[in-house]
């Protein structure tokens, strides 16, 4: 186990890495980034909703990932600044719904 203390004056960026669809529900909602690895999460999944991640600044989806996902939702994510999607991801018909409020002009 690694343990460290963080004071209010320190800034820590923490990216959750996702390599299967079950991992979405196990990542703490305080992460500052989300990364779906390339060639992963291609199981049958109807929707992915990342709206619970209030502090995420960057969402990355690697190439050839989430190919069978039908809906991808990012709502009320005031810290979100960047969305990167790799080649050949989201191959199925998809609803890509982004409404981040405060930073929507930056996307």
């Amino acid at each position: 186990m690694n343990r460290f203390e963080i004071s209010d004056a320190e800034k820590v960026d923490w990216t959750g890495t996702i390599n299967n669809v079950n991992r979405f529900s196990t990542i703490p909602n305080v992460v500052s980034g989300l990364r779906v690895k390339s060639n992963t999460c291609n199981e049958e999944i109807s929707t992915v909703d990342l709206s619970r991640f209030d502090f995420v600044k960057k969402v990355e989806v690697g190439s050839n990932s989430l190919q069978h996902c039908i809906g991808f939702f990012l709502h009320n994510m005031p810290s979100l600044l960047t969305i990167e999607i790799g080649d050949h991801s989201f191959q199925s018909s998809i609803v890509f719904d982004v409404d981040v409020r405060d930073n929507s002009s930056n996307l």
Side-chain angles (χ1 to χ4, degrees), residues 48-54 56 59 72-81 83 95-107:
V48 172
D49 187 347
L50 303 181
S51 302
R52 71 181 180 90
F53 296 102
D54 295 333
V56 164
V59 173
F72 192 71
F73 301 94
L74 300 106
H75 291 179
N76 300 317
M77 298 175 72
S79 299
L80 187 63
L81 298 171
I83 301 170
V95 174
F96 195 85
D97 192 356
V98 179
D99 181 7
V100 294
R101 303 287 174 210
D102 295 341
N103 290 328
S104 59
S105 62
N106 295 330
L107 296 175

Side-chain angles (χ1 to χ4, degrees), residues 12-89:
V12 175
D13 285 328
W14 178 14
T15 298
T17 301
I18 300 157
N19 57 5
N20 66 62
V21 295
N22 296 323
R23 183 78 172 111
F24 283 106
S25 63
T26 63
I27 294 177
N29 65 341
V30 295
V31 296
S32 56
L34 291 169
R35 179 183 306 120
V36 177
K37 294 178 77 172
S38 292
N39 303 303
T40 63
C41 300
N42 290 320
E43 304 92 333
E44 293 294 325
I45 183 171
S46 58
T47 61
V48 172
D49 187 347
L50 303 181
S51 302
R52 71 181 180 90
F53 296 102
D54 295 333
F55 304 105
V56 164
K57 295 184 255 182
K58 183 175 185 178
V59 173
E60 301 172 68
V61 177
S63 298
N64 302 304
S65 297
L66 292 165
Q67 292 182 337
H68 303 290
C69 180
I70 296 169
F72 192 71
F73 301 94
L74 300 106
H75 291 179
N76 300 317
M77 298 175 72
S79 299
L80 187 63
L81 298 171
T82 306
I83 301 170
E84 292 181 9
I85 300 172
D87 294 334
H88 308 292
S89 293

